[in-house]
Amino acid sequence: ALRMENGKTYKARMFVDATYEGDLLPGAEVSYTIGREPNSQYKETLNGVQVALSINHQLRDGVDPFKKPGDPSSGLLPGIGSKPGRDGDGDKRVQAYNFRMCLTDVPQNRVPFARPDAYDESRYELLFRNFEAGERGVPLFPTMMPNRKTDTNNRGGFSTDFIGANYDYPEADYARREQIVKAHESYQKGLMWTLSNHPRVPARIREEVSKWGLAKDEFVDNDNWPHQ
């Protein structure tokens, strides 16, 4: 039987946890793993850190990582974390999260990207420097769906994935998880506004991204923004 926090109890021969979170495992005292096991744990070759094999989702060469260019004492830009370790090492990092946006380029069904209230321009400095280092691609992957809509995913070295912001999500309580979700939402909404409006984004990129917007007839109960 499964007893919920609201006092309800459900009895069944079998329970299947089909959520993203998998909270049924610790609740049932089932062992679980978070992050990446090292190669050594199961005598494998592609687990853990993969620096040498990482060829996708890269920034351009020559991007300065420091808040004040050339000055390590100024600290690292937002979005840059500690070194990942040696190839094959394990860690507690989990795959980055983003909101898979449903966009459209149909004018009468398009909601333009709005600047969020908590917009922090410094959060996108790494994006600006990547463009200035020669990045030419639009950092979005808009898989086309019916009715001129998309299933939009992450692409490139700086995109909709909020890298590093979700590492404590799996074992966080409800309040902390809500904070993480809101941070992801603010980051991604800010990114979309930045890509379509900020003067440090190349004009060609701004023009392309501005053709798109949230679909007015999707997620109508959540300001057209996906729930998960």
Side-chain angles (χ1 to χ4, degrees):
L2 175 65
R3 187 173 64 252
M4 311 300 290
E5 292 183 349
N6 64 7
K8 293 183 179 180
T9 298
Y10 300 91
K11 295 182 179 180
R13 289 181 298 168
M14 180 184 297
F15 288 90
V16 176
D17 188 336
T19 67
Y20 285 121
E21 286 79 7
D23 290 336
L24 190 61
L25 278 80
E29 299 184 354
V30 175
S31 61
Y32 60 92
T33 296
I34 293 175
R36 303 181 287 188
E37 300 97 338
N39 280 336
S40 59
Q41 185 165 341
Y42 297 110
K43 310 301 180 186
E44 296 178 324
T45 59
L46 295 176
N47 284 344
V49 174
Q50 297 184 22
V51 175
L53 295 176
S54 296
I55 59 174
N56 298 311
H57 303 291
Q58 299 298 311
L59 297 173
R60 290 279 178 165
D61 289 339
V63 174
D64 193 297
F66 303 114
K67 292 179 180 177
K68 181 179 179 181
D71 181 6
S73 67
S74 65
L76 294 170
L77 290 174
I80 299 179
S82 59
K83 293 182 179 180
R86 299 173 301 176
D87 278 21
D89 283 352
D91 60 29
K92 293 300 182 182
R93 293 180 169 96
V94 293
Q95 184 174 356
Y97 296 169
N98 73 6
F99 288 90
R100 296 285 286 266
M101 299 176 295
C102 183
L103 306 180
T104 184
D105 61 355
V106 178
Q108 59 268 33
N109 197 33
R110 182 183 66 210
V111 179
F113 301 117
R115 175 171 168 158
D117 293 337
Y119 182 75
D120 179 3
E121 184 178 81
S122 68
R123 188 64 193 77
Y124 309 100
E125 180 64 28
L126 194 59
L127 173 72
F128 301 144
R129 294 189 190 182
N130 197 41
F131 282 128
E132 291 163 0
E135 178 58 56
R136 296 290 181 265
V138 177
L140 300 169
F141 193 79
T143 301
M144 291 307 302
M145 305 296 284
N147 301 315
R148 293 300 303 174
K149 296 178 183 178
T150 74
D151 172 29
T152 302
N153 201 2
N154 181 85
R155 170 187 275 169
F158 195 110
S159 185
T160 55
D161 280 353
F162 195 5
I163 299 172
N166 63 334
Y167 291 159
D168 59 346
Y169 186 93
E171 295 184 307
D173 61 21
Y174 294 143
R176 175 63 182 136
R177 283 182 176 178
E178 185 63 23
Q179 290 176 347
I180 294 171
V181 170
K182 290 299 183 185
H184 278 70
E185 180 178 342
S186 180
Y187 161 78
Q188 193 165 330
K189 286 182 175 179
L191 171 67
M192 299 309 297
W193 182 87
T194 298
L195 288 173
S196 54
N197 292 280
H198 202 284
R200 288 180 67 188
V201 173
R204 184 182 61 82
I205 302 294
R206 279 182 276 138
E207 291 169 5
E208 176 60 29
V209 176
S210 294
K211 295 176 183 177
W212 299 91
L214 299 172
K216 189 181 299 184
D217 59 351
E218 299 285 353
F219 304 108
V220 294
D221 60 341
N222 197 42
D223 294 327
N224 313 115
W225 191 257
H227 293 280
Q228 300 229 356

